């Protein structure tokens, strides 16, 4: 189930590429890594709960906050919020 959700999230990001701004392209690329890493961790640990998957993505993003400028943090957070509603 988690793998299917990962695929849906990545597909949703891919569908925005044609019309995305530079900021949205950056945020989508940045989120892809966190989504895939969290999905792989869930798969390895046998986690099937959607809430746990979402929580791991959020946790991964929070741990990496210092990688981004405050403006980029907002852009990534906004895109993640939009995507997380879809799952």
């Amino acid at each position: 189930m988690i793998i299917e959700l990962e695929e849906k999230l990545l597909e949703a990001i891919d569908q925005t590429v044609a019309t995305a701004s530079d900021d949205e392209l950056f945020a989508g690329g940045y989120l892809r890594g966190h989504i895939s890493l969290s999905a792989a961790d869930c798969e390895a640990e046998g986690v099937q709960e959607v809430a746990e998957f979402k929580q791991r993505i959020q946790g991964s993003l929070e741990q990496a906050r210092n990688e981004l400028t405050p403006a980029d943090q907002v852009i990534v957070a906004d895109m993640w919020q939009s995507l997380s509603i879809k799952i």
Side-chain angles (χ1 to χ4, degrees):
M1 175 158 197
I2 298 299
I3 298 302
E4 292 88 12
L5 290 174
E6 174 194 18
E7 290 171 0
K8 286 180 183 179
L9 287 170
L10 297 179
E11 183 178 315
I13 291 170
D14 290 345
Q15 289 176 351
T16 66
V17 170
T19 59
S21 68
D22 288 343
D23 287 341
E24 291 167 331
L25 289 172
F26 163 76
Y30 188 80
L31 283 169
R32 287 180 74 85
H34 290 278
I35 291 166
S36 293
L37 178 63
S38 298
D41 288 346
C42 286
E43 183 73 14
E45 296 173 23
V47 173
Q48 293 296 315
E49 295 85 22
V50 174
E52 177 68 18
F53 178 48
K54 289 172 74 172
Q55 185 177 34
R56 286 180 185 228
I57 296 168
Q58 185 64 44
S60 179
L61 291 169
E62 288 172 8
Q63 287 179 348
R65 281 184 68 102
N66 63 349
E67 295 177 350
L68 302 174
T69 66
D72 286 344
Q73 289 174 16
V74 171
I75 294 163
V76 169
D78 287 348
M79 181 172 271
W80 168 238
Q81 179 66 27
S82 174
L83 288 171
S84 68
I85 291 170
K86 296 179 181 182
I87 59 171

